Amino acid sequence: MHVAYLGPKGSFSHSVVQQTFPDADLIAYQTITEVIKAYEDQAVTYAVIPVENSIEGSVHESLDYLFHQVDLPAVAEVLQPIAQQLLATDTEKKIEVVYSHPQAIAQGKAYIQEHFPFARFEGTASTAYAARFVAAHPDKPYAAIAPKAAASEYGLETIGVDIQEIDENYTRFWVLGQQDPELNLHQQARKLSLALTLPDNLPGALYKAMSVFAWRDIDLTKIESRPLKTVLGEYFFIVDVDYREPDLVTYALEELTSLGISYKILGNYCVYQLDEQ
């Protein structure tokens, strides 16, 4: 079995796929879009992508591609505790540039501004790419925000420990595929993720969409708007639904249809949590 992930080695995505699919052949790609395309092209059995961080919110590249470009469901969700480290080739080095993925930069920005107020930030495709780049330039005043695994993978020193702003920092990863994987992990819940598109001529459309779940006592764990990329002011809504009572959810979806509210199922999946790496 082959599994695609956002590489290179030492990234949080790499840690997730190692723990989730310990016996699989893991294939790294440079961008989230390339990870998804690897599955579209049938090069892999599953694709694992980040979809949301508890500090910085949704990963728009993932959700927008899944809504606009493909009909590819999430079949599992894996929660990864996130601890960001500041890495450099030398603990005494003056730091002028900090490299990392934009979400990691946002998570560690307060620490950097306090301890290295004159450093500037440069975005990279992943935290691990940042660590690898810094390791390749030992004579430069560079540092990377990356996980612990990247330090050992690329021979870097930790100059800032757990620099994320919030201790309870998690990233949601979706496993994309055609059938639920058999995972040797602790299952927490089951959810359904929907993308709702509201009709223009239905007053109170969003309220009515939420009501079909509310009056049935179906819990919604997330609601977020994203641009439809048509004209300014038009959006679709991403909704995560508690799926403990499938029959009730089915009735709710039927009512959505009767109201003229269309939906796309982004995933119907079990939720698992990993240990901190």
Side-chain angles (χ1 to χ4, degrees):
M1 180 171 63
H2 296 82
V3 177
Y5 71 96
L6 178 62
K9 292 181 178 180
S11 65
F12 284 110
S13 294
H14 183 229
S15 173
V16 168
V17 294
Q18 281 184 311
Q19 296 176 79
T20 306
F21 298 99
D23 299 321
D25 293 323
L26 308 179
I27 305 175
Y29 292 87
Q30 294 187 18
T31 67
I32 291 170
T33 297
E34 289 177 356
V35 173
I36 301 173
K37 284 183 174 294
Y39 181 85
E40 289 185 85
D41 295 338
Q42 299 183 336
V44 296
T45 309
Y46 293 104
V48 178
I49 58 171
V51 292
E52 185 178 15
N53 176 261
S54 56
I55 296 177
E56 281 304 298
S58 293
V59 181
H60 296 152
E61 181 181 356
S62 297
L63 295 176
D64 286 354
Y65 194 91
L66 292 176
F67 176 76
H68 290 287
Q69 303 294 334
V70 294
D71 186 11
L72 176 55
V75 292
E77 177 176 292
V78 180
L79 299 177
Q80 169 71 71
I82 301 297
Q84 301 284 10
Q85 318 302 318
L86 186 63
L87 308 178
T89 55
D90 187 337
T91 57
E92 303 300 323
K93 176 179 289 189
K94 180 182 178 181
I95 302 302
E96 297 178 0
V97 187
V98 177
Y99 292 87
S100 198
H101 186 276
Q103 290 225 348
I105 289 173
Q107 294 163 25
K109 181 177 290 186
Y111 180 93
I112 302 301
Q113 290 175 337
E114 178 182 353
H115 293 86
F116 304 95
F118 300 106
R120 61 182 175 87
F121 298 98
E122 290 287 346
T124 59
S126 76
T127 54
Y129 277 114
R132 189 169 71 177
F133 180 81
V134 168
H137 297 84
D139 58 329
K140 300 291 186 179
Y142 296 164
I145 301 174
K148 293 177 183 177
S152 56
E153 184 71 35
Y154 300 108
L156 296 174
E157 300 289 337
T158 301
I159 61 174
V161 178
D162 295 348
I163 69 170
Q164 68 277 1
E165 293 184 38
I166 299 175
D167 290 336
E168 291 296 315
N169 185 11
Y170 291 85
T171 295
R172 300 169 61 194
F173 289 83
W174 276 357
V175 179
L176 308 178
Q178 290 301 320
Q179 59 184 11
D180 291 9
E182 295 183 5
L183 304 180
N184 188 25
L185 301 172
H186 175 66
Q187 180 180 331
Q188 290 193 319
R190 190 168 188 96
K191 292 195 295 188
L192 181 75
S193 289
L194 304 171
L196 307 180
T197 306
L198 307 179
D200 294 332
N201 59 350
L202 180 63
L206 180 59
Y207 169 79
K208 292 174 181 177
M210 299 301 97
S211 296
V212 307
F213 301 103
W215 76 263
R216 293 182 172 90
D217 291 326
I218 299 172
D219 188 24
L220 301 182
T221 60
K222 171 183 178 175
I223 177 170
E224 177 186 1
S225 63
R226 291 291 301 146
L228 266 175
K229 300 184 179 181
T230 51
V231 298
L232 184 66
E234 292 191 350
Y235 301 90
F236 69 95
F237 294 85
I238 299 168
V239 178
D240 287 348
V241 181
D242 187 314
Y243 203 66
R244 283 178 292 184
E245 298 188 65
D247 289 344
L248 284 180
V249 175
T250 297
Y251 298 142
L253 297 182
E254 291 174 351
E255 186 174 352
L256 284 177
T257 301
S258 70
L259 291 169
I261 299 170
S262 60
Y263 64 86
K264 179 178 183 177
I265 295 178
L266 300 178
N268 184 340
Y269 49 85
C270 291
V271 180
Y272 306 87
Q273 182 168 329
L274 301 176
D275 296 327
E276 184 175 314
Q277 293 293 301

